[in-house]
Amino acid sequence: MSCSCCSVKPFAQPSYSIQPPVPPPITSYEPLGPLTPPATIPVWQDRTIASSKLRLLEYSAFVEVQRDPETYNKHLFVHIGQTNPSYNDPLLEAVDIRQIYDKFPEKKGGLKELFEKGPQNAFFLVKFWADLNSNIQDGPGAFYGVSSQYTSSENVTITCSTKVCSFGKQVVEKVETEYARLENGRFVYRIHRSPMCEYMINF
């Protein structure tokens, strides 16, 4: 291949090597204190289920039976609590969303469409084990519910859409709207004792 407009030549190397001076040996040192990240990065960022605007504090799915007017017997199927993260906690693992597109329905608001609308830092794949070994008897007094709590630095209205998918098809969806309450300088959102859908109860 030839080029008449330019000439490219390799960088000329000297025929000898230059040795850097040897530093003096270290006779004593002062250990570094704990490294602290810049103050602009919150401790929970990239370590908890959170975007720049909204953070999940707690999520639980449970069944409970009232034994008497003041006593409940409760079993937690799932509990995700994210209190007091530290800079020593590992960062969350990143997953390429293209690996899971096929697990969620594509009709009317599929995962791909939602991800493309963004914000893309607000999508999390949460994999967990559910404890289905409950000694609570299923019956007319049993309440199956879900509770969740979120926090934000902004006063916004959130819509929590829970979709149950089975074999790549959406079987049920529940949509709840929650408004902020100002607590200790932060906006807090609580969805408390939301009834679980019949599909999940029978699952």
Side-chain angles (χ1 to χ4, degrees), residues 58-75:
E58 188 172 13
Y59 176 90
S60 61
F62 58 90
V63 60
E64 68 183 15
V65 174
Q66 188 171 3
R67 291 176 26 199
D68 56 55
E70 295 181 17
T71 309
Y72 287 87
N73 190 8
K74 185 175 187 175
H75 174 78

Side-chain angles (χ1 to χ4, degrees), residues 31 41 51 54 163-164 177 191:
I41 301 174
S51 70
L54 190 68
K163 296 180 181 183
V164 177
T177 301
I191 299 175

